[in-house]
Amino acid sequence: LDPAALDAALAALPGPHLVAATAGTTDAGLIDPLPEIADVCRAHRARLHIDAAYGGGLLFSDRHRDRLTGLDAAHTVTLDLHKLGWQPVAAGLLAVREPDDLAALHQRADYLNADDDTEAGLPDLLGRSLRTSRRPDILKTAVTLKTLGREGLGALVDQVCATAHEFADLLADRPGFELYDRPVISTVLFRPAHATDAAVAAVRRQLLHRGRAVLGRARPDDGRLWLKATVLNPHTRPADLAALLKAVEELAEGNAPR
Ligand SMILES: Cc1ncc(COP(=O)(O)O)c(C=O)c1O
């Protein structure tokens, strides 16, 4: 998100405005220039939401948290602890700066949160969640934080970011592959050199069907199709990555146009 283009768009469009910036894009793990975007939003009195579903976990890491400078200027932030937090998929959070932003959740129903029960101190999730009959997955998050602490989670974040950089180094050394860019978080886009988009797509499906690897796919600004490895497993070792590249190489040769 380009702050100058955002500034021009907000000046041209009638308000009120809600700006959604991203800290960790789905395709390439890019982080928008958050402090500059926050300044533009402030100048136009626009609300700022930051989708930190993927990148928010960098906050755990002393080494990487600076890259989220500006996050605290947001009115609302989404954070998925099922990405860089190693939780079950339900662990998506919306954090609000002003508690009143959750006013829409303050519904009352006598059978769920009767006033006299609330006054007597009985807890309920209404006012905090849209959900009622669901498993208390927050317990897993609480146990993880209690057991590993911020530093323990930060070490896992550092590990996957370092592994993604090693993977990028490995790709840069191999003439048979193209590397899209150095990873910003832990996402690495790559493709077999000289492959067509159809061959790249076929390689990905074959890896899946043969039970070898689950790779994502992305079509970034260059318009070409790339294989996407989002490294999220702290146990991934260089040998796993080398084996992945070997498998991709073999399948790409088999899919080369004749
Ligand atoms: C940047 C970003 N935002 C939002 C989402 C959606 O998250 P969820 O599936 O938890 O709704 C994703 C999922 O990958 C994502 O990468």
Side-chain angles (χ1 to χ4, degrees):
L1 189 57
D2 172 14
L6 176 66
D7 190 30
L10 292 180
L13 292 167
H17 300 118
L18 168 66
V19 173
T22 310
T25 58
T26 309
D27 274 355
L30 306 180
I31 300 174
D32 280 329
L34 303 178
E36 290 82 357
I37 289 171
D39 285 348
V40 172
C41 289
R42 217 172 283 117
H44 290 275
R45 305 173 71 83
R47 277 183 71 90
L48 174 60
H49 171 74
I50 299 181
D51 178 347
Y54 173 31
L58 296 179
L59 284 176
F60 295 129
S61 158
D62 288 335
R63 191 177 304 165
H64 296 293
R65 59 180 302 150
D66 283 357
R67 289 146 73 195
L68 295 183
T69 299
L71 189 75
D72 56 351
H75 296 86
T76 52
V77 174
T78 38
L79 171 60
D80 268 357
L81 290 173
H82 60 82
K83 296 186 168 75
L84 292 174
W86 296 278
Q87 300 300 300
V89 283
L93 299 177
L94 173 73
V96 300
R97 198 168 54 194
E98 299 295 334
D100 282 353
D101 285 346
L102 295 179
L105 299 178
H106 290 164
Q107 298 294 328
R108 301 201 74 78
D110 206 49
Y111 64 94
L112 288 172
N113 54 353
D115 286 342
D116 54 319
D117 278 349
T118 304
E119 278 159 26
L122 281 191
D124 62 65
L125 277 180
L126 297 176
R128 294 166 194 259
S129 173
L130 288 171
R131 298 171 150 198
T132 50
S133 309
R134 293 296 186 282
R135 287 146 41 121
D137 278 320
I138 192 68
L139 181 64
K140 294 163 187 164
T141 304
V143 169
T144 304
L145 284 169
K146 190 97 185 144
T147 314
L148 295 180
R150 185 180 68 76
E151 286 179 10
L153 283 166
L156 299 181
V157 170
D158 291 349
Q159 177 65 47
V160 294
C161 292
T163 304
H165 276 276
E166 282 169 31
F167 188 40
D169 290 341
L170 204 62
L171 284 158
D173 280 349
R174 299 259 195 130
F177 285 99
E178 268 186 83
L179 171 67
Y180 183 71
D181 210 346
R182 306 294 305 173
V184 175
I185 304 178
S186 68
T187 298
V188 181
L189 300 186
F190 66 104
R191 45 183 283 149
H194 315 301
T196 61
D197 281 2
V200 171
V203 165
R204 177 175 167 273
R205 279 190 293 272
Q206 284 164 3
L207 287 169
L208 199 59
H209 287 314
R210 294 175 188 203
R212 296 295 302 272
V214 183
L215 286 177
R217 53 185 281 164
R219 199 181 286 283
D221 289 345
D222 75 344
R224 294 191 296 161
L225 187 66
W226 293 76
L227 298 171
K228 177 173 82 163
T230 303
V231 183
L232 287 175
N233 185 344
H235 296 294
T236 300
R237 294 285 165 261
D240 301 319
L241 301 172
L244 171 64
L245 288 192
K246 191 160 181 290
V248 172
E249 214 158 32
E250 285 166 8
L251 289 171
E253 277 162 20
N255 282 293
R258 290 171 212 289

